[in-house]
Amino acid sequence: MDPKTALPLNTSRNMPILGLGTWQLKDDTAGTIAAALELGYRLIDTAVDYGTQPGIGEGIRRSGVERSDFYLVTKVEETDDAYEATRAYLGELGLDYADLMLIHRPPSSGPGEDLWRGLIKAKEDGLTRDIGVSNYSTDRIDRLIDATGEVPAVNQIEWSPFGYSDDMLRYGREKNMVIQAYSPLTRGKRLDDTTLGEIAGKHGKSPAQVLIRWNLQRGTAAVPKANQRAHLEENIDVFDFELSEDDMARLDGLNERFSSLGRLPYA
Ligand SMILES: NC(=O)c1ccc[n+]([C@@H]2O[C@H](COP(=O)([O-])OP(=O)(O)OC[C@H]3O[C@@H](n4cnc5c(N)ncnc54)[C@H](OP(=O)(O)O)[C@@H]3O)[C@@H](O)[C@H]2O)c1
C-alpha cells in the first residue's frame, strides 16, 4: 500500500484509500490543499457547509496537479435539489466534475429517494463519476436501492476502533459498498487511550497513525482532517508499518460505539 492505493468501487472505478478531510480547514485552506497534494494526498473530502469548496478549488489550481490525478468528494444537503446543487458546488470548486457526490445525511422525512434520483441523473450527465451516501443505516440504504436499483458506491460514516459496526462492515462487503471513515481520529478525543498508546509505542508511530492504519488494513477508507503541516505529514506516513493480527484484535476490542459528534447514526 502507498498513498495512491485505491479501493475498487462497485462501478468500474477506484477510490484512493486515504484522503484529507476539510471540515474546519479554515486556516489558509488553499495553501493547505496545495501542500497536501504536494505531500501525496490524492483525495479531498468537502461539503458546502464546511465553507472550504472555493479554497479547495484555489489550492488545486495552485498545485498544478492534473485533474485525473486527484479525487474530489463533495455532498448534497438534505434540502437541496441534488442535480442543481451538484452543478452549483462544482461551480464553487471550479471543476467540471466530481469523482464522488454523496447525500450528506438522510432527510428526516425518509431515505431521500428524490435526492438519490437527482444524483443518479447527475452521474448520467457526467457531473460526477460516482455517487454514494453518508450517515446512512443499512435499512435506509436498502430503501434507496429498492426505489431505484442503484447501490451507493460508498457510505461515509463516523468510524474508528472506538465506534464502528460489524453489521455495517458485513453489509458493505455484501453490497460491494466501500465504507469511508470520517472523524477517524475521533477529533482528537481518544488519542490518549492506553491500549492505543501501547500499540503506537510498539511500532514507533503515533496514536493517530495507528487509527488511520487500522482502517487501511480493514479495507475501509479514511479522511483524517489536518490543518497543521506536522499533522498533514504524519497522517500520510502510514504506509511503512503493519499492525499485527493481535494489534488489530486489540483495537477492534475498543469498540464502545463512541461518537465524537454525539451519536453514530448508522448503528
Ligand atoms: N459526512 C459527514 O457527516 C462528516 C462528518 C464529520 C466529518 N466529516 C469529514 O471527515 C473529516 C475528518 O473528520 P473530523 O474533521 O471530524 O475529525 P478527525 O479527522 O478525526 O480529527 C481532526 C482533528 O484532529 C487533529 N489532528 C489531525 N492529525 C493529527 C495528528 N496526527 N495528531 C493529533 N491530532 C491530529 C486535527 O488538528 P489540525 O486540524 O489542527 O491539524 C483536528 O483537530 C472532516 O474534516 C470531514 O471532511 C464528514
Side-chain angles (χ1 to χ4, degrees):
M1 275 196 282
D2 63 39
K4 286 190 172 163
T5 299
L7 292 170
L9 302 179
N10 57 21
T11 57
S12 54
R13 287 169 290 275
N14 301 313
M15 181 181 77
I17 197 164
L18 178 65
L20 178 68
T22 68
W23 178 69
Q24 290 195 337
L25 193 98
K26 292 286 166 89
D27 183 16
D28 184 15
T29 307
T32 308
I33 294 299
L37 290 168
E38 195 194 321
L39 283 169
Y41 285 85
R42 283 296 169 263
L43 181 149
I44 299 159
D45 176 68
T46 184
V48 66
D49 61 2
Y50 302 171
T52 51
Q53 294 189 141
I56 290 170
E58 170 60 26
I60 289 167
R61 286 187 290 281
R62 225 185 261 177
S63 74
V65 172
E66 297 276 332
R67 179 65 188 90
S68 55
D69 280 346
F70 68 88
Y71 193 100
L72 193 285
V73 185
T74 188
K75 314 178 185 87
V76 296
E77 304 299 308
E78 302 94 295
T79 53
D80 280 342
D81 170 323
Y83 187 87
E84 290 308 324
T86 301
R87 285 161 61 108
Y89 302 157
L90 290 175
E92 277 198 11
L93 286 154
L95 297 177
D96 295 334
Y97 67 91
D99 294 282
L100 179 65
M101 287 297 304
L102 307 175
I103 301 178
H104 203 161
R105 47 189 89 76
S108 52
S109 56
E113 294 97 329
D114 286 346
L115 288 165
W116 194 230
R117 288 192 186 96
L119 286 190
I120 291 170
K121 182 164 166 29
K123 184 170 86 157
E124 286 166 357
D125 287 356
L127 301 181
T128 182
R129 296 286 197 249
D130 282 303
I131 57 176
V133 294
S134 178
N135 296 304
Y136 269 63
S137 62
T138 58
D139 175 55
R140 285 198 164 102
I141 296 170
D142 279 338
R143 287 164 66 192
L144 285 187
I145 299 170
D146 287 348
T148 62
E150 180 91 13
V151 179
V154 171
N155 189 14
Q156 186 186 98
I157 44 182
E158 184 172 4
W159 192 266
S160 77
F162 302 99
Y164 67 93
S165 148
D166 283 322
D167 286 346
M168 181 60 81
L169 198 58
R170 264 193 301 277
Y171 182 87
R173 286 182 184 143
E174 264 168 43
K175 300 282 181 203
N176 201 5
M177 178 195 75
V178 169
I179 290 167
Q180 188 177 45
Y182 77 63
S183 308
L185 308 180
T186 67
R187 294 191 167 169
K189 291 177 184 167
R190 303 301 296 267
L191 295 180
D192 60 356
D193 179 85
T194 311
T195 304
L196 181 59
E198 276 173 24
I199 295 170
K202 197 173 81 176
H203 291 281
K205 288 287 180 179
S206 72
Q209 288 171 317
V210 169
L211 292 180
I212 295 168
R213 185 77 201 183
W214 173 82
N215 271 297
L216 308 190
Q217 288 186 215
R218 272 280 168 273
T220 49
V223 287
K225 177 256 181 181
N227 221 144
Q228 298 175 50
R229 173 86 190 189
H231 288 162
L232 277 179
E233 289 176 0
E234 191 175 309
N235 297 348
I236 201 169
D237 182 19
V238 290
F239 296 99
D240 62 349
F241 76 111
E242 185 153 358
L243 298 168
S244 67
E245 275 182 34
D246 181 55
D247 295 333
M248 289 295 283
R250 288 180 75 199
L251 290 164
D252 287 349
L254 297 174
N255 192 10
E256 53 184 53
R257 296 196 172 195
F258 169 82
S259 166
S260 57
L261 281 73
R263 185 176 81 88
L264 295 179
Y266 59 85

